[in-house]
Amino acid sequence: MHERLNEPVAILTGVDKSYQMDAVTVPVLKNIDLLVRPGHFTVLLGPSGSGKTTLLNLVGCIDKPDRGEVVVAGCPINKLSDDELADFRSANIGFIFQSFNLIPVLTTFENVEYPLVLAGMAPERRKRRVTKLLAAVGLSDRANNLPGQLSGGQRQRVAIARALARKPKLVIADEPTANLDSQTGAAILNLMRRMQERYRISFIFSSHDRSVISAADDLITLRDGVIQSIQRKKAPVEDLDSVHSDFIDTQAGA
Amino acid sequence: MMTLSLAVRNLLRNRRRSVATLLALAIGAASILLFGGYSANIRYSLLTAYVTAGGHLQIQHADFYQYGSGNPSAYGLADYERVLQGIRQDPALRDMVNVVSPTLQFGGIAGNFDAGVSRTVVGIGFAPDDINRMRQWNEYNLPIEPPHFALEGAPPDTAIVGLGVARVLLLCEPLKVGNCPSPQAAEKATGARLPDDIAALSGLEDGANKKQAAAGPTKARIELLAGHGRGTPNVAALQVLQAENQGFKELDDVAVILQLKQAQQLVYGRAAPRATALMVQLHRTQDMPAATQALKALLARLVPGQPWTVMDFETLNPFYVQTLQLFDTIFGFIFALIGGIVLFTVGNTMNAAVTERTVEIGTLRSVGLRQAGIRSLFVTEGLLLGVAGAVLGVTSALLIATVLNRMGLTWLPPGSSDALPLTLRVWGETRMIVGTAIGLVVIAALSAWWPAYRAANLKIVEALRHA
């Protein structure tokens, strides 16, 4: 149990990723080595096109690298089939998207409940869990509203509750505040931070907004598909950094 | 359950598109069913026409159907009365048989010698009271009023002719046949009058005929010449009571119907009377196979070694089978055509849904829905469209059929000489309704399959990037 707590939530080793645009192959990530610490609030910072989203996609197991290895929650994802990956995501990873990506025909309650339905949880347990989560994000009174009846900030709070529904090991948030005004964005950031601390879940999110830096435990700066720097603002949970100190130093100097 | 709920909500999400698709499905289903109802009515009308005229089954000499009309005496059924009684008393047949009646069919020449015209005809002898009972048969409750068979209770030397025979023999005026104008420039007949010896022969048949022969030109009279069993011609002078529509022009143009005893006397003279067929009309058409077996067993018992056979009305009337085949082919063609339209309509709708919901598909996959879950979702939507369209189509077809049936429209079937009520028989055609509905639902589900497959195979990151 002790070991699991210290286990990195994601390890990327020598990862390359490129996309094909018409006849041109565009390299997006180049030889990425990264360790995401458990129970930390990790921020990927970088300008548009730096590879933040692609890196999140790999860590979130919705894409696979062209080269290198991605291990998430101790599982090498390269070897998993599509269905195994789906089950793995369902059990281990929560997603928060820039455009909220709620299912428009489901109510707030049902959106949060959906991952639990996929997990086959009993209706009574589902109800208790969703009610608790909606209370945590302050949307108990909006349980029966459709996403179209909610404000941007409220929708993102629903998305946060949905991401946390299955108590994942890791929550991926791709520019979660980009579509919100600064005040709402700050509130959402604050909420995510509180949720991370409350549920002891690793959060990794991308942003090109430097104002989020203060919220981060670990700050990873990307530029042109390579990690420019890794700054760890807080002491590690255990002595994880010393275990991987060489790895981190190398990246930081890149 | 979640898949079904999501599918329903997704369909309701784009109501206009769903309604348009639903209407296409419903109109398709209704069209198929209305044509099927029309086709079913034709089937029942034809079946009823044949069964009321000749029964479901006929016992004949094995070769009569092919060769008998030219020489009925050679293929007549001797001692048929014994078989008739056997059928009426047989415990297996008694409950199935409605009417069993002998008939005699022969070829001859009918002449209106006062007008100097004649034509070849088919003479048919019937037992009039049996025919009136047979005409009451209406298993499918068609909106028809069976005409009374006028020979029942009439003198033995009376006859009924088809409308075509009445027209050619210039009997329309005395028989008061409507829509049957006399020829504009009918030349006086130049043919020889009935030869004296033939006239004398006719006179011998029934002395009373002589009186009627002198009754004057306003009376509808014909002389019917037929080949006698011994090869010599025989003539009967007949009083025509009415011209009756025989349902089909071919029969209308040749039919001379007379009483069985008169026909037997004409064909067999003083020899033992025979019948060319025993018509067996059943209460229910579905009993035909069982009745056929029972009749064959009875024949084997009563007339062993005789070349008697049992033929059903479909074999005796190839036109019936050909007509059904034609309508079945058209029905199949219409179903295929509409099925194709449904395939493309539902496919197009589902393709549009996949494109619109690409980001949503990416989201669902991100949160852990498997590819099969995405496929199920879209196929369920297609299935729901199919089910709703089929239900709406069936309901519409039933309503339209009810309204049209009450409008009292008529139509003239090909080959028929009389207009029939236009009836669309959808209600009660359970097999057709269920078959059409299931067919359309399956097509709708199939047409949703490809878009569903495409949706399930979308790359998650590309789906999430979709604008």
Side-chain angles (χ1 to χ4, degrees):
Chain A
M1 189 66 188
H2 180 74
E3 277 183 16
R4 280 189 67 80
L5 278 173
N6 292 330
E7 191 179 304
V9 74
I11 303 170
L12 283 74
T13 313
V15 167
D16 283 354
K17 183 70 188 176
S18 56
Y19 287 118
Q20 198 72 28
M21 297 188 76
D22 297 325
V24 182
T25 303
V26 181
V28 183
L29 293 176
K30 300 164 195 167
N31 196 30
I32 297 290
D33 291 324
L34 176 66
L35 180 149
V36 180
R37 297 192 297 171
H40 282 69
F41 204 69
T42 304
V43 175
L44 287 179
L45 198 66
S48 292
S50 58
K52 302 187 297 292
T53 300
T54 304
L55 186 56
L56 285 182
N57 290 342
L58 294 173
V59 176
C61 306
I62 56 175
D63 206 354
K64 287 184 177 179
D66 297 336
R67 194 182 68 84
E69 191 179 30
V70 177
V71 178
V72 179
C75 182
I77 67 160
N78 302 39
K79 293 172 184 169
L80 297 182
S81 69
D82 200 90
D83 282 347
E84 286 169 336
L85 271 177
D87 295 343
F88 182 80
R89 284 193 301 272
S90 172
N92 295 289
I93 302 170
F95 286 89
I96 300 168
F97 299 96
Q98 178 181 335
S99 301
F100 326 124
N101 290 23
L102 300 178
I103 308 302
V105 293
L106 299 182
T107 63
T108 297
F109 187 95
E110 290 165 335
N111 262 291
V112 179
E113 187 188 27
Y114 191 75
L116 304 176
V117 175
L118 289 182
M121 187 182 280
E124 271 310 305
R125 274 189 72 198
R126 288 204 307 255
K127 192 177 175 185
R128 278 200 304 275
R129 174 84 61 90
V130 175
T131 305
K132 202 171 159 187
L133 279 165
L134 286 181
V137 298
L139 285 175
S140 297
D141 58 336
R142 298 287 184 169
N144 295 318
N145 285 87
L146 289 169
Q149 298 166 319
L150 302 175
S151 68
Q154 287 172 329
R155 287 185 214 182
Q156 199 59 301
R157 280 193 274 161
V158 178
I160 292 168
R162 181 180 66 184
L164 298 173
R166 284 206 68 189
K167 297 182 179 168
K169 292 187 175 67
L170 176 66
V171 171
I172 306 282
D174 189 8
E175 308 220 21
T177 59
N179 278 358
L180 302 172
D181 60 72
S182 57
Q183 198 176 353
T184 312
I188 288 297
L189 199 62
N190 191 33
L191 176 66
M192 290 202 307
R193 193 75 172 108
R194 277 194 286 118
M195 292 294 114
Q196 184 264 322
E197 284 168 356
R198 179 171 174 177
Y199 295 106
R200 306 293 301 163
I201 294 169
S202 306
F203 267 66
I204 176 165
F205 79 95
S206 66
S207 179
H208 56 262
D209 180 1
R210 297 198 72 83
S211 68
V212 303
I213 294 170
S214 59
D217 294 330
D218 294 350
L219 186 66
I220 299 160
T221 307
L222 276 166
R223 183 175 289 277
D224 298 330
V226 296
I227 294 174
Q228 202 171 40
S229 67
I230 297 176
Q231 294 167 266
R232 303 202 186 273
K233 294 174 101 179
K234 271 189 175 176
V237 174
E238 296 289 333
D239 55 348
L240 205 64
D241 273 355
S242 62
V243 175
H244 297 280
S245 56
D246 293 342
F247 172 76
I248 290 168
D249 288 342
T250 309
Q251 290 298 310
Chain B
M1 195 60 199
M2 194 65 165
T3 301
L4 187 65
S5 168
L6 256 181
V8 171
R9 294 186 204 189
N10 282 325
L11 289 176
L12 294 175
R13 187 167 160 186
N14 197 328
R15 282 191 174 80
R16 189 181 294 178
R17 190 171 59 208
S18 296
V19 166
T21 310
L22 212 59
L23 281 178
L25 271 159
I27 291 169
S31 307
I32 292 170
L33 289 174
L34 289 174
F35 180 77
Y38 173 69
S39 174
N41 187 58
I42 287 173
R43 182 168 70 247
Y44 293 132
S45 297
L46 281 174
L47 188 150
T48 302
Y50 286 122
V51 168
T52 52
H56 289 91
L57 303 166
Q58 289 196 7
I59 297 170
Q60 297 182 351
H61 186 287
D63 290 332
F64 175 74
Y65 180 66
Q66 295 291 345
Y67 313 107
S69 59
N71 188 4
S73 60
Y75 298 99
L77 307 174
D79 203 14
Y80 68 87
E81 284 287 354
R82 197 157 60 92
V83 177
L84 213 59
Q85 288 308 315
I87 293 170
R88 285 172 180 147
Q89 289 163 6
D90 187 90
L93 287 163
R94 208 166 36 208
D95 293 338
M96 289 190 277
V97 173
N98 182 39
V99 179
V100 54
S101 181
T103 182
L104 176 63
Q105 187 181 317
F106 58 94
I109 298 171
N112 178 358
F113 292 105
D114 288 332
V117 289
S118 65
R119 69 154 300 145
T120 55
V121 294
V122 172
I124 309 165
F126 283 135
D129 51 341
D130 288 344
I131 296 304
N132 268 326
R133 281 167 56 215
M134 284 176 74
R135 286 187 175 187
Q136 297 303 314
W137 187 88
N138 191 1
E139 185 182 357
Y140 303 104
N141 300 313
L142 297 174
I144 49 171
E145 196 62 46
H148 182 76
F149 190 56
L151 294 186
E152 187 173 16
D157 63 333
T158 49
I160 294 169
V161 294
L163 289 173
V165 175
R167 189 171 58 249
V168 173
L169 297 185
L170 304 179
L171 295 170
C172 290
E173 194 181 329
L175 292 174
K176 297 183 172 54
V177 178
N179 195 24
C180 179
S182 299
Q184 291 291 319
E187 289 181 18
K188 185 149 179 75
T190 54
R193 285 184 61 82
L194 182 67
D196 292 344
D197 55 342
I198 300 293
L201 192 61
S202 169
L204 287 175
E205 289 290 322
D206 187 346
N209 289 350
K210 285 190 174 174
K211 262 195 274 178
Q212 288 170 353
T218 55
K219 293 279 185 180
R221 298 189 53 77
I222 58 170
E223 284 78 26
L224 181 59
L225 176 70
H228 190 277
R230 292 186 299 271
T232 54
N234 205 357
V235 175
L238 301 168
Q239 175 73 40
V240 181
L241 294 181
Q242 74 175 131
E244 188 182 66
N245 179 9
Q246 300 302 304
F248 302 95
K249 189 174 185 303
E250 288 76 7
L251 192 57
D252 244 357
D253 287 348
V254 293
V256 174
I257 298 161
L258 55 162
Q259 305 207 28
L260 179 66
K261 287 191 189 313
Q262 180 76 20
Q264 285 172 328
Q265 198 173 3
L266 185 64
V267 176
Y268 297 106
R270 290 193 180 87
R274 296 183 177 198
T276 50
L278 298 181
M279 302 183 292
V280 181
Q281 189 186 63
L282 307 173
H283 292 293
R284 296 181 310 171
T285 305
Q286 67 180 46
D287 288 338
M288 273 173 63
T292 304
Q293 290 306 314
L295 284 171
K296 283 180 176 171
L298 184 80
L299 292 179
R301 203 168 63 242
L302 294 181
V303 283
Q306 292 293 316
W308 292 25
T309 190
V310 181
M311 299 180 84
D312 60 37
F313 76 96
E314 291 177 346
T315 309
L316 292 167
N317 303 286
F319 179 76
Y320 172 76
V321 178
Q322 288 162 357
T323 306
L324 294 197
Q325 283 171 345
L326 174 71
F327 274 92
D328 284 349
T329 306
I330 297 172
F331 183 84
F333 178 74
I334 289 176
F335 191 94
L337 201 68
I338 290 174
I341 293 169
V342 166
L343 191 83
F344 283 104
T345 307
V346 177
N348 192 40
T349 298
M350 299 315 296
N351 268 320
V354 169
T355 305
E356 273 176 16
R357 285 156 47 196
T358 300
V359 176
E360 201 174 306
I361 292 163
T363 307
L364 290 172
R365 297 275 289 121
S366 302
V367 298
L369 185 63
R370 288 180 169 200
Q371 285 181 316
I374 296 288
R375 273 197 299 272
S376 305
L377 180 61
F378 283 95
V379 170
T380 304
E381 287 178 31
L383 266 173
L384 284 173
L385 276 174
V387 170
V391 169
L392 193 64
V394 170
T395 312
S396 310
L398 288 169
L399 283 173
I400 293 168
T402 306
V403 170
L404 286 177
N405 290 346
R406 289 188 179 183
M407 285 173 74
L409 303 174
T410 58
W411 70 293
L412 193 67
S416 177
S417 49
D418 206 4
L420 294 177
L422 177 69
T423 307
L424 302 174
R425 207 180 181 92
V426 181
W427 183 259
E429 293 299 304
T430 314
R431 220 174 110 189
M432 177 180 75
I433 291 173
V434 172
T436 303
I438 289 177
L440 286 181
V441 170
V442 168
I443 289 172
L446 280 178
S447 50
W449 191 86
W450 171 245
Y453 177 82
R454 196 166 65 84
N457 284 286
L458 280 172
K459 287 191 172 169
I460 300 174
V461 288
E462 286 174 13
L464 289 171
R465 266 208 304 264
H466 188 83

